[in-house]
Amino acid sequence: MMVSISDNIKKDFPLLQSKMHGQKLVYLDNAATTQKPQVVLDKLLAYYQNDNANVYRGVYDLSQRATSAYEQARKKVAQFLNAPKVEEIIFTKGTTQSLNFIAAGFGMNNFQAGQEIVLSCAEHHSNLVPWQNLAKKKGLKLVYIDLNTDGSLDLKDADKKIGQKTALVAINHVSNVLGTINDVKSLANLAHKNGALIAVDGAQAAPHMKVDLKNLDLDFYAFSGHKMLGPTGIGVLWAKSDLLDAMTPLEFGGEMIDEVGLYETSYAKAPYKFEGGTPNIAGAIGLGVAIDYLTELGMDNIQVYEEKLVTYLINRLQEIEGLEIYGPKKRVSGIVSFNLKGLHPHDLATVLDMQGIAVRAGHHCAQPLMAWLDVPACARASLYFYNTKEDCDKLVTGIIKSKEFFENGF
Ligand code: PMP
Protein backbone atom coordinates (compact mmCIF):
# COMPACT_ATOMS: atom_id res chain seq x y z
CA MET A 1 0.00 0.00 0.00
CA MET A 2 1.49 3.36 -1.00
CA VAL A 3 -0.82 6.26 -0.29
CA SER A 4 -0.38 9.96 0.29
CA ILE A 5 -2.75 12.89 0.69
CA SER A 6 -3.50 14.34 -2.74
CA ASP A 7 -6.53 15.22 -4.85
CA ASN A 8 -6.29 11.65 -6.17
CA ILE A 9 -6.94 10.04 -2.84
CA LYS A 10 -10.71 10.06 -3.35
CA LYS A 11 -10.13 7.29 -5.90
CA ASP A 12 -9.47 4.92 -3.01
CA PHE A 13 -13.04 5.44 -1.75
CA PRO A 14 -15.72 3.89 -3.98
CA LEU A 15 -18.59 5.75 -2.38
CA LEU A 16 -16.94 9.10 -3.03
CA GLN A 17 -17.21 8.33 -6.76
CA SER A 18 -20.97 8.18 -6.60
CA LYS A 19 -23.56 10.80 -7.48
CA MET A 20 -26.27 12.24 -5.29
CA HIS A 21 -29.27 13.84 -6.97
CA GLY A 22 -27.34 13.84 -10.24
CA GLN A 23 -24.32 15.68 -8.77
CA LYS A 24 -20.96 14.28 -7.77
CA LEU A 25 -21.19 13.56 -4.04
CA VAL A 26 -19.49 16.07 -1.75
CA TYR A 27 -19.31 14.21 1.54
CA LEU A 28 -18.88 16.55 4.49
CA ASP A 29 -20.29 14.50 7.36
CA ASN A 30 -17.12 12.80 8.50
CA ALA A 31 -17.73 13.51 12.18
CA ALA A 32 -20.77 11.23 11.91
CA THR A 33 -18.95 8.50 10.02
CA THR A 34 -16.24 8.31 7.39
CA GLN A 35 -16.25 6.55 4.05
CA LYS A 36 -14.29 3.34 3.67
CA PRO A 37 -11.32 2.82 1.35
CA GLN A 38 -11.32 -0.15 -1.03
CA VAL A 39 -8.56 -1.87 1.00
CA VAL A 40 -10.84 -2.04 4.05
CA LEU A 41 -13.78 -3.29 1.97
CA ASP A 42 -11.57 -5.89 0.28
CA LYS A 43 -10.27 -7.10 3.62
CA LEU A 44 -13.78 -7.62 5.01
CA LEU A 45 -14.72 -9.72 2.00
CA ALA A 46 -11.43 -11.63 2.01
CA TYR A 47 -11.81 -12.42 5.70
CA TYR A 48 -15.26 -13.93 5.20
CA GLN A 49 -14.18 -15.67 1.99
CA ASN A 50 -10.89 -17.12 3.17
CA ASP A 51 -10.40 -16.97 6.93
CA ASN A 52 -13.81 -17.03 8.59
CA ALA A 53 -13.91 -19.05 11.83
CA ASN A 54 -14.64 -18.29 15.44
CA VAL A 55 -11.72 -17.08 17.52
CA TYR A 56 -10.12 -18.96 20.46
CA ARG A 57 -12.45 -21.91 19.92
CA GLY A 58 -10.63 -24.29 17.67
CA VAL A 59 -7.27 -25.97 17.42
CA TYR A 60 -7.80 -26.24 13.69
CA ASP A 61 -5.81 -24.02 11.39
CA LEU A 62 -8.70 -21.82 10.23
CA SER A 63 -9.68 -20.84 13.75
CA GLN A 64 -6.09 -20.12 14.61
CA ARG A 65 -5.79 -17.91 11.54
CA ALA A 66 -8.88 -15.94 12.56
CA THR A 67 -7.57 -15.64 16.13
CA SER A 68 -4.19 -14.48 14.98
CA ALA A 69 -5.71 -11.86 12.62
CA TYR A 70 -7.98 -10.59 15.43
CA GLU A 71 -5.06 -10.34 17.88
CA GLN A 72 -2.92 -8.73 15.20
CA ALA A 73 -5.58 -6.00 14.92
CA ARG A 74 -5.35 -5.44 18.67
CA LYS A 75 -1.57 -4.98 18.34
CA LYS A 76 -2.10 -2.46 15.55
CA VAL A 77 -4.48 -0.44 17.76
CA ALA A 78 -1.97 -0.53 20.64
CA GLN A 79 0.80 0.74 18.35
CA PHE A 80 -1.45 3.36 16.79
CA LEU A 81 -2.17 4.82 20.25
CA ASN A 82 1.30 4.17 21.67
CA ALA A 83 -0.47 2.31 24.45
CA PRO A 84 1.77 0.94 27.21
CA LYS A 85 0.42 -2.63 26.89
CA VAL A 86 -1.48 -4.48 24.19
CA GLU A 87 -3.67 -6.20 26.84
CA GLU A 88 -5.05 -2.77 27.68
CA ILE A 89 -6.89 -2.60 24.33
CA ILE A 90 -10.50 -3.77 24.64
CA PHE A 91 -12.58 -4.14 21.51
CA THR A 92 -16.07 -2.72 21.96
CA LYS A 93 -18.93 -1.70 19.67
CA GLY A 94 -17.77 1.90 19.67
CA THR A 95 -17.25 4.99 21.78
CA THR A 96 -20.68 4.79 23.37
CA GLN A 97 -20.16 1.27 24.63
CA SER A 98 -16.62 2.06 25.77
CA LEU A 99 -17.80 5.01 27.86
CA ASN A 100 -20.68 2.99 29.30
CA PHE A 101 -18.21 0.27 30.30
CA ILE A 102 -16.17 2.82 32.24
CA ALA A 103 -19.22 4.24 34.01
CA ALA A 104 -20.93 0.95 34.84
CA GLY A 105 -17.89 -1.34 35.13
CA PHE A 106 -15.50 1.01 36.91
CA GLY A 107 -17.46 3.94 38.36
CA MET A 108 -20.15 1.75 39.83
CA ASN A 109 -17.62 -0.18 41.92
CA ASN A 110 -14.98 2.37 42.68
CA PHE A 111 -16.64 5.75 43.24
CA GLN A 112 -18.27 6.78 46.53
CA ALA A 113 -21.40 8.82 47.24
CA GLY A 114 -20.55 12.50 47.56
CA GLN A 115 -17.72 12.34 44.99
CA GLU A 116 -17.90 14.41 41.81
CA ILE A 117 -17.68 13.74 38.08
CA VAL A 118 -16.32 16.76 36.25
CA LEU A 119 -17.55 17.30 32.68
CA SER A 120 -18.11 20.11 30.21
CA CYS A 121 -21.43 21.13 28.67
CA ALA A 122 -19.83 20.45 25.27
CA GLU A 123 -19.96 16.68 25.72
CA HIS A 124 -21.63 14.34 23.25
CA HIS A 125 -24.58 12.60 24.93
CA SER A 126 -22.46 9.43 24.99
CA ASN A 127 -20.09 11.12 27.42
CA LEU A 128 -22.88 12.62 29.48
CA VAL A 129 -25.83 10.27 29.88
CA PRO A 130 -23.76 7.35 31.29
CA TRP A 131 -22.42 9.71 33.98
CA GLN A 132 -25.89 11.05 34.78
CA ASN A 133 -27.10 7.50 35.20
CA LEU A 134 -24.13 6.59 37.39
CA ALA A 135 -24.50 9.77 39.45
CA LYS A 136 -28.14 8.95 40.20
CA LYS A 137 -27.35 5.38 41.18
CA LYS A 138 -24.30 6.18 43.32
CA GLY A 139 -25.16 9.60 44.78
CA LEU A 140 -22.41 11.38 42.85
CA LYS A 141 -22.51 15.02 41.82
CA LEU A 142 -21.99 16.25 38.26
CA VAL A 143 -19.88 19.40 37.99
CA TYR A 144 -19.39 21.34 34.76
CA ILE A 145 -16.29 23.23 33.69
CA ASP A 146 -17.27 26.57 32.09
CA LEU A 147 -16.64 27.34 28.48
CA ASN A 148 -15.03 30.58 27.35
CA THR A 149 -17.20 32.81 25.17
CA ASP A 150 -15.68 31.25 22.03
CA GLY A 151 -16.63 27.75 23.21
CA SER A 152 -13.16 26.63 24.27
CA LEU A 153 -12.72 25.09 27.71
CA ASP A 154 -11.98 27.59 30.50
CA LEU A 155 -8.85 26.06 32.02
CA LYS A 156 -8.89 28.46 34.97
CA ASP A 157 -12.36 27.20 35.81
CA ALA A 158 -11.13 23.61 35.36
CA ASP A 159 -8.56 24.35 38.03
CA LYS A 160 -11.38 25.46 40.35
CA LYS A 161 -13.78 22.63 39.57
CA ILE A 162 -11.30 19.73 39.75
CA GLY A 163 -10.51 19.17 43.41
CA GLN A 164 -10.35 16.72 46.28
CA LYS A 165 -13.93 15.58 45.72
CA THR A 166 -13.37 14.76 42.06
CA ALA A 167 -13.54 11.06 41.28
CA LEU A 168 -13.24 11.45 37.52
CA VAL A 169 -12.87 14.07 34.81
CA ALA A 170 -14.83 12.91 31.73
CA ILE A 171 -14.06 15.13 28.77
CA ASN A 172 -13.94 15.09 24.99
CA HIS A 173 -10.57 15.32 23.25
CA VAL A 174 -12.15 17.15 20.29
CA SER A 175 -15.69 18.60 20.37
CA ASN A 176 -17.98 17.14 17.71
CA VAL A 177 -19.70 20.52 17.31
CA LEU A 178 -17.16 23.25 17.94
CA GLY A 179 -14.03 21.50 16.72
CA THR A 180 -12.15 22.64 19.84
CA ILE A 181 -9.23 20.49 20.96
CA ASN A 182 -8.99 20.09 24.70
CA ASP A 183 -5.62 20.03 26.41
CA VAL A 184 -6.25 16.62 27.94
CA LYS A 185 -2.64 16.27 29.10
CA SER A 186 -2.99 19.31 31.41
CA LEU A 187 -6.40 18.11 32.55
CA ALA A 188 -4.91 14.68 33.33
CA ASN A 189 -2.23 16.36 35.37
CA LEU A 190 -4.82 18.40 37.25
CA ALA A 191 -6.96 15.32 37.88
CA HIS A 192 -4.02 13.24 39.11
CA LYS A 193 -2.79 16.03 41.42
CA ASN A 194 -6.18 15.78 43.09
CA GLY A 195 -6.18 11.99 43.26
CA ALA A 196 -8.81 11.77 40.49
CA LEU A 197 -8.92 9.88 37.20
CA ILE A 198 -9.54 11.10 33.67
CA ALA A 199 -11.60 9.44 30.91
CA VAL A 200 -11.30 10.95 27.44
CA ASP A 201 -13.86 10.65 24.64
CA GLY A 202 -11.55 10.43 21.65
CA ALA A 203 -14.23 9.82 18.99
CA GLN A 204 -13.32 13.00 17.08
CA ALA A 205 -9.61 12.96 17.88
CA ALA A 206 -8.23 9.48 17.18
CA PRO A 207 -9.20 9.64 13.46
CA HIS A 208 -7.56 13.03 12.93
CA MET A 209 -4.39 13.38 15.02
CA LYS A 210 -1.62 11.39 16.64
CA VAL A 211 -2.80 10.18 20.03
CA ASP A 212 0.16 9.20 22.18
CA LEU A 213 -1.21 7.57 25.31
CA LYS A 214 2.18 7.18 26.97
CA ASN A 215 2.75 10.89 26.65
CA LEU A 216 -0.78 12.04 27.57
CA ASP A 217 -0.89 9.96 30.78
CA LEU A 218 -4.67 9.48 30.70
CA ASP A 219 -6.58 6.74 32.51
CA PHE A 220 -9.30 5.81 30.00
CA TYR A 221 -9.62 6.53 26.27
CA ALA A 222 -12.54 5.66 23.96
CA PHE A 223 -13.10 5.88 20.20
CA SER A 224 -15.02 4.35 17.28
CA GLY A 225 -13.62 2.54 14.25
CA HIS A 226 -16.28 3.81 11.84
CA LYS A 227 -15.12 7.42 12.22
CA MET A 228 -11.63 6.46 11.04
CA LEU A 229 -12.24 4.44 7.85
CA GLY A 230 -13.13 1.22 9.69
CA PRO A 231 -16.40 -0.71 9.74
CA THR A 232 -19.30 0.11 12.05
CA GLY A 233 -19.77 -1.95 15.21
CA ILE A 234 -16.13 -1.89 16.26
CA GLY A 235 -14.49 0.51 18.68
CA VAL A 236 -11.92 0.64 21.39
CA LEU A 237 -11.68 1.17 25.10
CA TRP A 238 -8.20 1.65 26.44
CA ALA A 239 -7.50 1.84 30.17
CA LYS A 240 -4.44 1.48 32.38
CA SER A 241 -4.09 -2.15 33.36
CA ASP A 242 -4.54 -1.63 37.12
CA LEU A 243 -7.84 0.13 36.37
CA LEU A 244 -8.94 -2.75 34.16
CA ASP A 245 -8.18 -5.08 37.07
CA ALA A 246 -10.47 -2.98 39.27
CA MET A 247 -13.20 -2.90 36.63
CA THR A 248 -15.92 -5.54 36.51
CA PRO A 249 -17.12 -7.02 33.24
CA LEU A 250 -20.60 -6.06 32.07
CA GLU A 251 -21.29 -8.94 29.76
CA PHE A 252 -21.04 -12.43 31.14
CA GLY A 253 -20.78 -15.60 29.10
CA GLY A 254 -18.39 -17.39 26.80
CA GLU A 255 -14.79 -16.27 26.27
CA MET A 256 -14.62 -13.96 29.30
CA ILE A 257 -14.14 -16.69 31.91
CA ASP A 258 -11.27 -18.48 33.54
CA GLU A 259 -13.15 -21.31 35.27
CA VAL A 260 -16.88 -21.90 35.57
CA GLY A 261 -18.53 -23.97 38.29
CA LEU A 262 -22.21 -24.40 39.01
CA TYR A 263 -22.30 -21.51 41.46
CA GLU A 264 -19.10 -19.55 40.98
CA THR A 265 -17.02 -18.33 38.07
CA SER A 266 -13.60 -16.75 37.91
CA TYR A 267 -12.98 -14.35 35.08
CA ALA A 268 -10.24 -14.17 32.50
CA LYS A 269 -7.83 -11.25 32.57
CA ALA A 270 -8.22 -8.14 30.43
CA PRO A 271 -8.87 -7.76 27.58
CA TYR A 272 -10.85 -11.04 27.41
CA LYS A 273 -12.75 -10.30 30.62
CA PHE A 274 -14.53 -7.50 28.75
CA GLU A 275 -15.12 -9.29 25.45
CA GLY A 276 -17.80 -11.84 26.37
CA GLY A 277 -19.29 -13.78 23.46
CA THR A 278 -18.12 -13.95 19.87
CA PRO A 279 -16.50 -10.60 19.15
CA ASN A 280 -16.71 -8.53 16.00
CA ILE A 281 -13.81 -10.37 14.38
CA ALA A 282 -14.22 -8.94 10.88
CA GLY A 283 -14.75 -5.47 12.33
CA ALA A 284 -11.50 -5.60 14.31
CA ILE A 285 -9.58 -6.88 11.29
CA GLY A 286 -11.12 -4.15 9.12
CA LEU A 287 -10.13 -1.56 11.71
CA GLY A 288 -6.59 -2.94 11.59
CA VAL A 289 -6.45 -2.27 7.84
CA ALA A 290 -7.90 1.21 8.37
CA ILE A 291 -5.11 1.88 10.86
CA ASP A 292 -2.51 0.68 8.35
CA TYR A 293 -3.96 3.09 5.81
CA LEU A 294 -3.96 6.03 8.24
CA THR A 295 -0.46 5.20 9.44
CA GLU A 296 0.78 5.15 5.87
CA LEU A 297 -0.67 8.63 5.35
CA GLY A 298 0.80 9.77 8.67
CA MET A 299 -1.42 11.12 11.43
CA ASP A 300 0.63 14.31 11.63
CA ASN A 301 0.21 14.85 7.87
CA ILE A 302 -3.55 14.33 8.24
CA GLN A 303 -3.75 16.91 11.02
CA VAL A 304 -1.69 19.49 9.13
CA TYR A 305 -3.76 18.95 5.96
CA GLU A 306 -7.07 19.26 7.79
CA GLU A 307 -5.96 22.38 9.64
CA LYS A 308 -5.08 24.08 6.35
CA LEU A 309 -8.34 22.96 4.76
CA VAL A 310 -10.53 24.06 7.68
CA THR A 311 -8.83 27.46 7.73
CA TYR A 312 -9.63 27.80 4.03
CA LEU A 313 -13.24 26.70 4.63
CA ILE A 314 -13.79 29.12 7.50
CA ASN A 315 -12.35 32.01 5.48
CA ARG A 316 -14.68 31.18 2.61
CA LEU A 317 -17.73 30.71 4.86
CA GLN A 318 -17.09 34.13 6.36
CA GLU A 319 -17.84 35.63 2.94
CA ILE A 320 -21.48 34.58 3.30
CA GLU A 321 -23.67 37.28 4.74
CA GLY A 322 -25.86 36.14 7.63
CA LEU A 323 -23.83 33.00 8.35
CA GLU A 324 -22.82 32.53 11.98
CA ILE A 325 -19.99 30.13 12.75
CA TYR A 326 -19.77 28.62 16.22
CA GLY A 327 -16.54 27.94 18.07
CA PRO A 328 -13.11 29.57 18.20
CA LYS A 329 -11.97 31.70 15.26
CA LYS A 330 -8.74 29.76 14.94
CA ARG A 331 -9.77 26.23 14.10
CA VAL A 332 -7.31 23.35 14.07
CA SER A 333 -9.68 20.43 13.63
CA GLY A 334 -11.93 19.99 10.61
CA ILE A 335 -15.32 20.53 12.23
CA VAL A 336 -17.34 23.68 11.49
CA SER A 337 -20.86 24.25 12.81
CA PHE A 338 -22.94 27.17 11.62
CA ASN A 339 -26.36 28.64 11.06
CA LEU A 340 -27.67 30.81 8.28
CA LYS A 341 -29.86 33.63 9.50
CA GLY A 342 -33.54 33.03 8.86
CA LEU A 343 -33.13 29.45 7.70
CA HIS A 344 -33.63 26.30 9.75
CA PRO A 345 -30.50 24.11 9.51
CA HIS A 346 -32.64 21.14 8.40
CA ASP A 347 -33.91 23.18 5.44
CA LEU A 348 -30.38 24.25 4.64
CA ALA A 349 -29.11 20.64 4.78
CA THR A 350 -32.01 19.50 2.58
CA VAL A 351 -31.30 22.05 -0.11
CA LEU A 352 -27.58 21.24 0.07
CA ASP A 353 -28.45 17.55 -0.34
CA MET A 354 -30.31 18.41 -3.54
CA GLN A 355 -26.98 19.78 -4.77
CA GLY A 356 -25.12 16.58 -3.83
CA ILE A 357 -23.60 18.02 -0.64
CA ALA A 358 -23.92 15.96 2.55
CA VAL A 359 -23.75 17.96 5.78
CA ARG A 360 -25.42 17.22 9.08
CA ALA A 361 -28.10 19.32 10.72
CA GLY A 362 -29.58 18.93 14.17
CA HIS A 363 -28.41 18.97 17.77
CA HIS A 364 -25.48 16.61 17.03
CA CYS A 365 -26.17 14.61 20.21
CA ALA A 366 -25.10 17.66 22.19
CA GLN A 367 -28.31 19.24 23.45
CA PRO A 368 -26.72 20.97 26.47
CA LEU A 369 -24.23 22.59 24.10
CA MET A 370 -27.10 23.75 21.84
CA ALA A 371 -28.65 25.33 24.94
CA TRP A 372 -25.32 27.01 25.74
CA LEU A 373 -25.12 28.33 22.16
CA ASP A 374 -28.76 29.34 22.52
CA VAL A 375 -29.81 27.64 19.29
CA PRO A 376 -32.18 24.69 18.80
CA ALA A 377 -29.91 23.14 16.19
CA CYS A 378 -27.17 23.94 13.69
CA ALA A 379 -25.62 22.68 10.49
CA ARG A 380 -22.21 21.04 10.57
CA ALA A 381 -19.59 20.40 7.92
CA SER A 382 -16.85 18.03 9.01
CA LEU A 383 -13.78 17.35 6.89
CA TYR A 384 -11.43 14.45 6.43
CA PHE A 385 -8.15 14.13 4.55
CA TYR A 386 -9.97 13.15 1.33
CA ASN A 387 -11.86 16.44 1.19
CA THR A 388 -10.49 19.20 -1.00
CA LYS A 389 -10.69 22.96 -1.47
CA GLU A 390 -13.08 22.19 -4.32
CA ASP A 391 -15.44 20.48 -1.83
CA CYS A 392 -15.25 23.57 0.40
CA ASP A 393 -15.98 25.83 -2.57
CA LYS A 394 -18.97 23.69 -3.53
CA LEU A 395 -20.30 23.96 -0.01
CA VAL A 396 -19.97 27.75 -0.04
CA THR A 397 -21.65 27.99 -3.45
CA GLY A 398 -24.32 25.55 -2.22
CA ILE A 399 -25.08 27.65 0.84
CA ILE A 400 -25.31 30.82 -1.24
CA LYS A 401 -27.68 29.04 -3.67
CA SER A 402 -29.77 27.74 -0.76
CA LYS A 403 -30.02 31.24 0.61
CA GLU A 404 -31.15 32.58 -2.76
CA PHE A 405 -33.60 29.71 -3.10
CA PHE A 406 -35.29 30.55 0.17
CA GLU A 407 -35.18 34.28 -0.44
CA ASN A 408 -36.40 34.28 -4.04
CA GLY A 409 -37.29 30.73 -5.04
CA PHE A 410 -35.31 28.93 -7.80
N1 PMP B 1 -18.43 11.15 21.27
C1 PMP B 1 -18.27 12.00 20.27
C2 PMP B 1 -17.48 13.26 20.49
C3 PMP B 1 -18.83 11.71 19.03
O1 PMP B 1 -18.70 12.58 18.03
C4 PMP B 1 -19.56 10.51 18.85
C5 PMP B 1 -20.20 10.17 17.51
N2 PMP B 1 -21.00 11.15 16.97
C6 PMP B 1 -19.68 9.65 19.93
C7 PMP B 1 -19.10 9.99 21.13
C8 PMP B 1 -20.44 8.36 19.83
O2 PMP B 1 -19.81 7.48 18.95
P1 PMP B 1 -20.54 6.12 18.53
O3 PMP B 1 -21.90 6.50 18.05
O4 PMP B 1 -19.66 5.58 17.44
O5 PMP B 1 -20.57 5.24 19.74
Side-chain angles (χ1 to χ4, degrees):
M1 195 162 40
M2 268 298 286
V3 286
S4 63
I5 303 174
S6 69
D7 286 358
N8 267 341
I9 206 158
K10 279 192 187 179
K11 292 208 173 72
D12 288 354
F13 295 79
L15 208 140
L16 295 179
Q17 312 307 316
S18 59
K19 292 200 163 173
M20 213 50 75
H21 302 294
Q23 315 269 352
K24 195 161 181 216
L25 172 68
V26 176
Y27 186 75
L28 296 171
D29 195 15
N30 294 289
T33 200
T34 59
Q35 299 306 337
K36 319 302 171 199
Q38 190 66 50
V39 278
V40 169
L41 302 173
D42 286 348
K43 187 69 186 184
L44 292 175
L45 186 63
Y47 165 72
Y48 282 119
Q49 267 179 348
N50 309 321
D51 299 318
N52 177 51
N54 211 329
V55 287
Y56 313 122
R57 303 250 164 106
V59 288
Y60 54 94
D61 183 55
L62 200 56
S63 169
Q64 285 178 3
R65 254 184 8 231
T67 306
S68 136
Y70 182 68
E71 287 305 328
Q72 195 57 37
R74 198 189 307 277
K75 280 195 196 128
K76 284 181 186 178
V77 174
Q79 267 170 15
F80 182 69
L81 299 173
N82 197 20
K85 296 178 191 160
V86 68
E87 312 86 81
E88 295 172 338
I89 304 296
I90 320 287
F91 283 123
T92 63
K93 282 197 296 188
T95 312
T96 305
Q97 191 179 42
S98 301
L99 294 167
N100 273 278
F101 275 13
I102 308 169
F106 188 86
M108 202 63 189
N109 303 302
N110 294 282
F111 299 161
Q112 314 302 328
Q115 283 193 300
E116 296 175 350
I117 310 273
V118 178
L119 307 144
S120 85
C121 72
E123 298 313 312
H124 187 282
H125 296 163
S126 293
N127 195 32
L128 183 58
V129 186
W131 306 117
Q132 286 176 351
N133 181 47
L134 179 71
K136 283 204 182 107
K137 287 197 172 130
K138 293 284 295 182
L140 307 170
K141 196 174 155 202
L142 301 184
V143 174
Y144 288 89
I145 303 171
D146 291 344
L147 301 184
N148 295 311
T149 45
D150 67 356
S152 59
L153 201 68
D154 180 344
L155 287 176
K156 281 202 193 99
D157 192 55
D159 205 12
K160 281 190 219 139
K161 301 272 168 72
I162 301 170
Q164 291 303 309
K165 285 191 185 165
T166 310
L168 178 87
V169 178
I171 200 90
N172 65 79
H173 199 169
V174 173
S175 157
N176 68 316
V177 176
L178 301 172
T180 41
I181 302 183
N182 286 324
D183 179 358
V184 291
K185 188 172 177 172
S186 300
L187 291 167
N189 197 10
L190 205 54
H192 294 155
K193 262 197 340 214
N194 286 285
L197 298 169
I198 181 163
V200 175
D201 170 356
Q204 299 298 345
H208 302 278
M209 60 171 78
K210 175 91 197 100
V211 174
D212 182 340
L213 289 175
K214 278 190 192 150
N215 172 37
L216 293 174
D217 193 27
L218 309 173
D219 297 300
F220 301 95
Y221 200 83
F223 64 91
S224 302
H226 69 94
K227 293 183 198 282
M228 46 186 282
L229 315 181
T232 46
I234 189 78
V236 170
L237 166 62
W238 168 84
K240 282 183 179 153
S241 51
D242 57 326
L243 301 175
L244 290 175
D245 289 343
M247 186 163 149
T248 52
L250 289 158
E251 289 172 353
F252 301 87
E255 307 300 348
M256 51 76 66
I257 53 91
D258 180 22
E259 255 189 77
V260 180
L262 281 179
Y263 300 102
E264 287 295 331
T265 288
S266 57
Y267 306 135
K269 286 200 175 331
Y272 310 109
K273 179 166 85 160
F274 303 101
E275 295 180 5
T278 301
N280 184 352
I281 307 164
I285 294 170
L287 175 59
V289 177
I291 285 176
D292 288 343
Y293 188 97
L294 291 170
T295 307
E296 175 94 29
L297 286 181
M299 293 311 292
D300 290 337
N301 296 336
I302 291 175
Q303 193 177 4
V304 168
Y305 180 84
E306 287 179 17
E307 184 176 340
K308 272 195 201 139
L309 195 60
V310 79
T311 307
Y312 177 79
L313 175 61
I314 289 191
N315 283 338
R316 291 257 20 230
L317 286 171
Q318 278 166 345
E319 293 167 15
I320 305 172
E321 211 182 303
L323 190 103
E324 186 178 4
I325 300 172
Y326 305 110
K329 284 224 157 49
K330 168 129 185 60
R331 196 69 48 108
V332 284
S333 83
I335 295 176
V336 189
S337 294
F338 52 87
N339 266 319
L340 192 57
K341 204 170 165 203
L343 197 56
H344 193 281
H346 282 137
D347 293 334
L348 176 60
T350 305
V351 181
L352 286 172
D353 178 50
M354 281 156 52
Q355 301 169 68
I357 303 164
V359 298
R360 198 160 202 85
H363 54 61
H364 311 288
C365 298
Q367 286 182 352
L369 181 57
M370 294 300 114
W372 184 86
L373 288 169
D374 199 19
V375 294
C378 57
R380 178 186 72 189
S382 50
L383 308 171
Y384 211 12
F385 58 80
Y386 44 61
N387 289 119
T388 57
K389 282 188 175 170
E390 196 191 342
D391 293 338
C392 299
D393 292 340
K394 283 187 179 164
L395 173 65
V396 172
T397 310
I399 296 173
I400 293 169
K401 270 196 191 158
S402 311
K403 197 174 157 192
E404 287 167 1
F405 170 66
F406 277 95
E407 279 169 6
N408 318 317
F410 268 132

